[in-house]
Amino acid sequence: MNKLMSVVMLAGVFTLPLRADDKPADAKSRQTQLQELQKDFQKAMQGEIVPEFENATTTADKNKALAKVDPFIERGLKLVAENPKDDVSFNTLMMLMGSKPERPDKVIDAMVEHQVDNPKLASLVMQLIADATPANEKRARTILEKTKSIEVKGAYFLGTAQTKFQKAEDAKDVKEKTRLFAEAEKLFERVIADFHSVELGPNTMGILAKKFLFELRDLAIGKPAPEVVSKDLDDKETKLSALKGKIVVLDIWATWCPPCRAMIPHEREMVEKLKDKPFTLISVSADDTKEVVRDFLKNEKMPWTHWFEGQREDGIISDWNVRFYPTIYVLDHKGVIRFKNVRGKDLEEAVEKLLAEQEKEKKS
């Protein structure tokens, strides 16, 4: 699904109950206006804007299609101006956030100006920080300075910590990586200390911060991999520690994940090439049921070890803070994490390097 098509879905999502202190007649009128705006916007998107955008062959034509969203933005902002701090305005602005592939600046600025104390702004703050543009970083800092909401404040520090953590993961320079990890660690510790019980989605900020700290401290390159107890597709218990002595690739995946499926042909070649080596590839499934995986394997040859995790609360997917698929860990024969999230040629070269190290150690 492309960004623009997702707007059609977003348009009708953000309708929350009215606050008890809103005036009934005014609130009903504003709520009705919002519902009408949502209905008209969805109709225009599905019937005209999306088809025109998808059929456009030039950037100018795409922009022309997107320009047809602008009247709905202006209509929404006019509604917001009537009572910019109530829930109808918040829901209107949230709808308008998804009105274009890139969030309109004046919609974000209206949210920053009028809704800084709304606890539901927490998710937007984290998105602004993750976007990492100077303008959005400035908006996030402005929100932090102005807000009285503990949820929003906590989201700022948690979002900043997560962003620094990801930058550290991606950094090539060792000093830069070390610096960013250290800064992220301090921010996660602050979240645990000051915002531990603040709810964010199904978890609390403290729980989320602890998961990242575990990933930072216990799943870093050079650390012994923690024990994993899982089950294979026949429901037989398996343990990661039982594989010491082999180079292990843990590929945490799902059948519905396109990048995961794209890896299969190369993984098949690699497994065949290394079949006589002390090497094992383990695909750890995050699918809903074992049957889904079994059915997939009937049509897609994956002749290696399969573990099933699903979405259980105490398995590797939760414990290891898996945030995207595929997530890859490469362990040496001693069970130490040596590479993370390498694919294709890089994955094969990593495995061959560790096999060579193991062979050299045997001879010495």
Side-chain angles (χ1 to χ4, degrees), residues 154-311:
Y156 177 89
F157 291 108
L158 180 60
T160 303
Q162 289 177 347
T163 299
K164 285 183 179 292
F165 177 90
Q166 191 56 55
K167 286 182 178 179
E169 288 272 276
D170 298 337
K172 302 299 182 183
D173 181 76
V174 175
K175 288 185 178 180
E176 178 72 358
K177 184 184 287 286
T178 301
R179 180 184 67 81
L180 288 167
F181 272 137
E183 291 177 1
E185 185 172 18
K186 288 182 180 179
L187 286 166
F188 285 128
E189 289 172 343
R190 178 170 183 175
V191 171
I192 292 170
D194 297 342
F195 307 98
H196 185 271
S197 300
V198 178
E199 294 182 357
L200 185 66
N203 291 304
T204 67
M205 292 184 183
I207 289 173
L208 294 172
K210 285 181 178 179
K211 286 179 178 290
F212 272 94
L213 279 180
F214 179 80
E215 186 177 353
L216 191 156
R217 293 167 175 169
D218 294 85
L219 298 175
I221 290 173
K223 294 284 187 177
E227 178 66 292
V228 176
V229 179
S230 188
K231 289 186 177 181
D232 64 19
L233 296 180
D234 295 320
D235 217 32
K236 181 181 177 182
E237 185 176 277
T238 58
K239 289 185 177 182
L240 182 60
S241 58
L243 297 171
K244 282 188 179 179
K246 294 183 177 182
I247 309 305
V248 177
V249 171
L250 285 175
D251 174 8
I252 305 172
W253 78 302
T255 60
W256 44 258
C257 162
C260 303
R261 296 198 301 268
M263 289 181 61
I264 294 172
H266 178 261
E267 288 178 320
R268 201 157 42 222
E269 292 175 5
M270 185 171 66
V271 168
E272 175 62 24
K273 179 180 177 181
L274 300 174
K275 62 183 178 181
D276 297 323
K277 301 290 185 179
F279 162 73
T280 187
L281 170 61
I282 302 174
S283 286
V284 184
S285 169
D287 287 285
D288 291 334
T289 66
K290 293 185 184 75
E291 288 68 32
V292 170
V293 185
R294 290 195 187 102
D295 288 343
F296 184 85
L297 294 177
K298 290 177 183 177
N299 300 310
E300 186 70 70
K301 185 180 178 183
M302 298 175 68
W304 53 81
T305 303
H306 292 269
W307 292 357
F308 179 77
E309 281 292 308
Q311 294 294 324

Side-chain angles (χ1 to χ4, degrees), residues 60-76:
D61 287 341
K62 288 183 182 293
N63 290 337
K64 185 177 179 181
L66 289 176
K68 294 184 178 181
V69 173
D70 293 340
F72 294 99
I73 294 175
E74 296 305 321
R75 183 174 157 187

Side-chain angles (χ1 to χ4, degrees), residues 40-53:
D40 293 344
F41 180 54
Q42 286 179 318
K43 183 179 178 180
M45 290 293 289
Q46 293 170 335
E48 181 180 5
I49 299 172
V50 169
E52 185 176 326
F53 181 87

Side-chain angles (χ1 to χ4, degrees), residues 112-113 116 135-147 152 156:
V112 173
E113 182 178 358
V116 289
N136 282 341
E137 289 177 353
K138 183 178 179 180
R139 289 178 176 119
R141 287 194 300 271
T142 298
I143 291 172
L144 176 66
E145 293 166 0
K146 294 173 63 176
T147 188
V152 176
Y156 177 89

Side-chain angles (χ1 to χ4, degrees), residues 330-346:
V330 184
L331 281 56
D332 66 18
H333 65 287
K334 296 178 182 178
V336 175
I337 298 169
R338 297 290 298 277
F339 298 90
K340 295 171 66 172
N341 298 318
V342 285
R343 305 184 195 177
K345 182 180 179 182
D346 291 339

Side-chain angles (χ1 to χ4, degrees), residues 68-112:
K68 294 184 178 181
V69 173
D70 293 340
F72 294 99
I73 294 175
E74 296 305 321
R75 183 174 157 187
L77 290 174
K78 186 178 291 187
L79 177 60
V80 168
E82 295 173 5
N83 190 351
K85 296 185 182 297
D86 71 357
D87 273 347
V88 173
S89 286
F90 179 82
N91 293 333
T92 301
L93 290 168
M94 286 301 291
M95 186 198 82
L96 297 177
M97 286 284 181
S99 62
K100 287 188 176 184
E102 302 299 331
R103 289 187 291 266
D105 285 344
K106 53 186 172 181
V107 174
I108 304 177
D109 290 339
M111 189 74 88
V112 173

